[in-house]
């Protein structure tokens, strides 16, 4: 079945350092990979996404890379700030039974210390 | 971004009763809606996917007779937890996406915390 693995489960960094979160997916037909940020008690919010025809995408301090051959994709946050502290989820979208459904990784709890 | 509204945000019900949760897309037509369950400090577990006017597709291990999903219009989907038990207590969250089969951003509702006593 479809599966998305995410590592690490927790990540603690000093303000200004970089943070990297990695995910792997099982279904080679996956073609859309969004990243969501969920702050405590709030709904997940999309922060960046990448499609299978692109290897890298950047938006200010956030970047995502995709290796389709290895079925890996990663989130990179540079110059981290305390407000980046949250839980981050990767996801992979697969077409199944006529639907494009999103399967989420287990999440990474990022703590940025001042 | 688009707005998805979920109601109620919190509900407490007695064991054996049913609870209905609504998910509305306020400013776009949601051709597909997803229902997730999230346990404390855990990931979003997909329960079912529904397209407007069609029967929902349930994930393995999710009882369709217990978690009734209706997607009657392009802006409303409902999840009814029937004969709720304490083990059904959880955070339920919906997401909605527009378009056809092309991948688009999925927008989340604010979630519903269900407590069954």
């Amino acid at each position: 079945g479809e599966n998305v693995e995410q590592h690490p489960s927790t990540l603690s960094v000093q303000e200004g350092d970089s943070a990297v979160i990695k995910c792997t997916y099982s279904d080679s037909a996956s073609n859309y990979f969004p990243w969501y940020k969920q702050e405590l008690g709030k709904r997940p919010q999309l922060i960046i996404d990448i499609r299978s025809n692109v290897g890298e995408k950047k938006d200010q301090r956030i970047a995502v890379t995709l290796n389709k051959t290895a079925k890996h994709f990663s989130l990179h946050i540079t110059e981290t700030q305390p407000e980046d502290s949250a839980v981050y989820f990767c996801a992979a979208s697969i077409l199944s039974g006529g639907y494009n459904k999103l399967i989420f990784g287990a999440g990474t709890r990022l703590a940025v210390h001042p | 971004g688009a707005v998805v509204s979920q109601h109620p945000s919190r509900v407490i019900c007695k064991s054996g009763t049913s609870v209905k949760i609504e998910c509305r897309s306020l400013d776009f037509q949601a051709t597909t809606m997803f229902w997730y369950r999230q346990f404390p400090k855990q990931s979003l577990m997909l329960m079912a996917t529904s397209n407007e006017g069609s029967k929902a597709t349930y994930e393995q291990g999710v009882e369709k007779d217990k978690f009734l999903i209706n997607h009657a219009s392009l802006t409303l989907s409902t999840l009814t937890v029937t004969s709720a038990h304490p083990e059904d207590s959880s955070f339920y969250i919906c997401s909605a996406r527009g378009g056809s089969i092309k991948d688009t951003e999925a927008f989340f509702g604010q979630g519903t915390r269900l407590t069954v006593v």
Side-chain angles (χ1 to χ4, degrees):
Chain A
E2 311 94 6
N3 186 44
V4 177
E5 292 191 2
Q6 183 171 347
H7 299 281
S9 56
T10 59
L11 181 58
S12 183
V13 300
Q14 288 297 123
E15 183 177 1
D17 287 351
S18 295
V20 180
I21 303 170
K22 299 182 179 182
C23 288
T24 61
Y25 58 98
S26 59
D27 193 327
S28 57
S30 296
N31 51 18
Y32 173 66
F33 308 91
W35 285 88
Y36 284 83
K37 175 183 180 182
Q38 186 177 28
E39 296 180 49
L40 188 63
K42 296 187 177 181
R43 73 189 79 190
Q45 298 274 10
L46 181 76
I47 55 171
I48 195 167
D49 55 16
I50 191 167
R51 300 183 189 277
S52 58
N53 58 346
V54 176
E56 185 174 355
K57 183 176 178 181
K58 190 173 182 180
D59 183 4
Q60 298 183 336
R61 297 187 295 110
I62 296 173
V64 58
T65 58
L66 171 65
N67 182 331
K68 280 218 74 176
T69 303
K71 292 189 280 188
H72 288 175
F73 58 114
S74 300
L75 177 72
H76 304 253
I77 305 174
T78 58
E79 300 172 32
T80 54
Q81 300 166 4
E83 50 266 38
D84 293 330
S85 297
V87 178
Y88 291 80
F89 293 100
C90 63
S93 180
I94 68 142
L95 182 62
S96 175
Y99 302 101
N100 268 12
K101 58 181 182 180
L102 276 177
I103 304 297
F104 283 82
T108 297
R109 187 170 300 275
L110 172 65
V112 180
H113 302 284
Chain B
V3 179
V4 175
S5 177
Q6 189 172 338
H7 178 80
S9 57
R10 291 178 182 271
V11 58
I12 300 173
C13 71
K14 290 185 177 180
S15 188
T17 62
S18 296
V19 174
K20 181 184 280 188
I21 302 169
E22 292 188 349
C23 181
R24 293 181 183 272
S25 57
L26 299 185
D27 52 2
F28 70 104
Q29 293 184 327
T31 50
T32 306
M33 284 191 173
F34 306 93
W35 286 95
Y36 293 88
R37 185 171 178 176
Q38 187 174 33
F39 290 101
K41 298 185 179 181
Q42 292 192 28
S43 188
L44 297 149
M45 185 192 78
L46 181 64
M47 298 175 65
T49 305
S50 72
N51 268 13
E52 180 264 339
S54 303
K55 287 184 179 180
T57 301
Y58 289 81
E59 294 299 302
Q60 193 172 9
V62 179
E63 299 176 59
K64 61 181 180 181
D65 293 331
K66 180 166 184 65
F67 299 99
L68 301 178
I69 291 171
N70 185 282
H71 191 165
S73 76
L74 284 170
T75 59
L76 174 64
S77 177
T78 61
L79 166 67
T80 301
V81 183
T82 63
S83 187
H85 291 286
E87 57 265 31
D88 298 324
S89 298
S90 191
F91 188 66
Y92 294 87
I93 191 165
C94 68
S95 73
R97 120 204 285 189
S100 56
I101 62 172
K102 182 180 178 181
D103 285 308
T104 57
E105 179 179 351
F107 299 93
F108 282 86
Q110 61 266 53
T112 297
R113 184 158 303 283
L114 170 64
T115 303
V116 184
V117 297

